[in-house]
Amino acid sequence: MKKFGVVKTVVLLQAVCMIVLSVAVVVKLSPFGSDPSDLEPGTGNEAHTGNDGGDEAATVGGEPITAGELEAQLLKQYGDTVLRTMMVRKALNLEAGARQLKVTVEEQDRELAAMMEGYENEDEYYRVMKEQLGMEKDDVREDVKYKLLLEQIAMLSVEISDGDVNRYIGEHAELFGDRLQLHLQWIVTKTEKDAGDVLDMLSDGEDFARIARTYSVDDFTADSGGDLGLIDADDPFYDAELLDTASRLQTGEMAGPLKTDGGYAVIRLVERQKTEGLTGKRLMDAARKQLALSKAKPLHDIEDELLLKYDAVKRK
C-alpha cells in the first residue's frame, strides 16, 4: 500500500474538516449567492425551493433535498464534534492569553515538516490533505497551531531535568539518529515466474508504471504505477529482505523477484533521501518534548479541564 502520512494526522484534522461542513450549511444555499427576493420571476434566475419552502441543495429524480434537511443531517452527524472543537479552541485561546503562550511560525513549520515525512514533497502533502480531508493549506496550519498550543499547556505541569532528557536520548537513540528513506515502485505478481517475465519486459525497455498498471496484482498501487512513496529503510511494515535489497540499489535500478506477503515483487528505486539526525539544542528540545508529553496527562483530559475552567456550556 502506498504510504502516506495521513494516519498520524487524520484524527487531528477531521474535526476541522467538519467545521468547514458546518459553516457551509449556515450560509443560505442559493446557487446564485444573492437574495432570492431580488430575483425576477420568469427570467430563469429564480431560486429553486423545495416542498417545505427551503432552498434546494440538490434534486434526485426531481425530488428535492433542501438546505434545511442537509443542515439537520450534518448537525446530527457532526454537530457535537464540531461544537466541542470550537469550544476547545476558545478555551485554548483564553488559557494561552492568561499564561502568555504562543506558537511561532518556526514551530509550525517544524511540525509541518515532520508531518510531511513520507510524502514526495510539500505540494503532494497538501494535495492529499485537500483530497482526503477537504482542507486548504491555511486550515492545516491553523490546526497545527492549536495542536502545538495544547501540547504546550499539557507540558506545563511536567518537570523534566536535563539528566532525564539525556537518559531518554540514550534509551531511544533510533528516534534521533540519521534516517534513510527510499522512494520505491513495485510490481507484485502471483507467481515467481510471472515476476520473472515482468522483469524481462522491463529489461527490454518497457515503462515500469505502464507494466505496473497492466500486470500488478496489488490493488493499492497498480493504478499509480506501483508507486510506494517514501519508505524508511528500516520500516517494520515492509519485508526486511525487500528493504535491504532496495537500499543497495542505485537510483533507477531494479531487482526481483522478491517474495512478499502478497506474492512476488519486482522493485525499482526512484530516489533515496538521507536526513541527518538532530544535534545540540534541537536534539535536546525534541527529546524534552517527547518525554514531557509521555508523562503529561492525555491531551483529551487537558481539553476537558480547560472547558471546565472556562465554564464552557452547550446550549440547545
Side-chain angles (χ1 to χ4, degrees), residues 185-187 195 198-199 202 208 254-258 264-268:
Q185 290 173 286
W186 74 354
I187 299 169
V198 162
L199 193 57
L202 294 171
F208 196 101
M254 297 175 291
L258 299 167
Y264 291 84
V266 174
I267 61 173
R268 175 175 178 268

Side-chain angles (χ1 to χ4, degrees), residues 25-278:
V25 300
V26 174
V27 180
K28 207 168 187 181
L29 294 177
S30 166
F32 307 103
S34 57
D35 187 338
S37 65
D38 295 336
L39 300 175
E40 297 180 5
T43 63
N45 289 333
E46 299 91 348
H48 296 282
T49 59
N51 294 333
D52 63 355
D55 291 338
E56 288 180 2
T59 60
V60 180
E63 293 293 322
I65 298 174
T66 69
E69 291 171 333
L70 174 60
E71 180 179 357
Q73 186 64 30
L74 288 172
L75 288 174
K76 178 181 178 181
Q77 288 185 244
Y78 307 123
D80 287 344
T81 302
V82 172
L83 183 57
R84 177 186 169 87
T85 299
M86 297 173 73
M87 294 167 70
V88 166
R89 289 188 171 186
K90 289 283 189 183
L92 283 171
N93 286 333
L94 291 170
E95 185 72 0
R99 293 179 176 267
Q100 297 184 326
L101 301 175
K102 66 177 181 178
V103 174
T104 66
V105 173
E106 290 75 15
E107 288 171 329
Q108 286 179 284
D109 289 342
R110 285 197 297 270
E111 184 69 15
L112 280 165
M115 293 166 65
M116 290 176 189
E117 291 180 359
Y119 293 84
E120 293 181 16
N121 50 49
E122 180 177 326
D123 290 340
E124 173 73 1
Y125 173 78
Y126 284 118
R127 183 188 66 78
V128 172
M129 293 300 100
K130 175 65 175 176
E131 288 184 359
Q132 298 193 12
L133 297 172
M135 298 186 70
E136 302 290 349
K137 183 175 182 178
D138 288 345
D139 299 324
V140 177
R141 291 192 67 89
E142 185 77 355
D143 203 72
V144 167
K145 183 189 79 171
Y146 280 105
K147 171 183 178 288
L148 294 174
L149 198 56
L150 179 60
E151 290 177 347
Q152 283 186 26
I153 293 169
M155 291 187 291
L156 289 175
S157 60
V158 181
E159 292 186 6
I160 304 292
S161 69
D162 288 347
D164 295 331
V165 176
N166 287 324
R167 280 191 295 273
Y168 184 78
I169 293 173
E171 294 169 359
H172 301 85
E174 73 284 356
L175 298 177
F176 308 104
D178 293 347
R179 182 181 184 189
L180 175 63
Q181 291 183 297
L182 308 170
H183 183 177
L184 299 177
Q185 290 173 286
W186 74 354
I187 299 169
V188 182
T189 62
K190 291 183 178 179
T191 68
E192 187 173 9
K193 180 182 181 304
D194 290 341
D197 292 340
V198 162
L199 193 57
D200 288 340
M201 286 187 281
L202 294 171
S203 298
D204 289 338
E206 293 284 351
D207 180 69
F208 196 101
R210 188 185 72 79
I211 296 297
R213 286 191 288 268
T214 304
Y215 294 101
S216 182
V217 298
D218 180 26
D219 294 334
F220 294 107
T221 60
D223 289 343
S224 62
D227 191 3
L228 288 168
L230 282 169
I231 301 171
D232 287 343
D234 58 355
D235 192 321
F237 292 102
Y238 286 88
D239 182 79
E241 181 183 356
L242 183 147
L243 291 179
D244 180 63
T245 300
S247 67
R248 288 184 275 107
L249 294 175
Q250 298 299 312
T251 300
E253 284 188 338
M254 297 175 291
L258 299 167
K259 183 74 173 68
T260 71
D261 291 339
Y264 291 84
V266 174
I267 61 173
R268 175 175 178 268
L269 179 65
V270 179
E271 64 172 327
R272 66 175 71 234
Q273 292 186 10
K274 186 173 182 180
T275 305
E276 299 294 332
L278 298 176

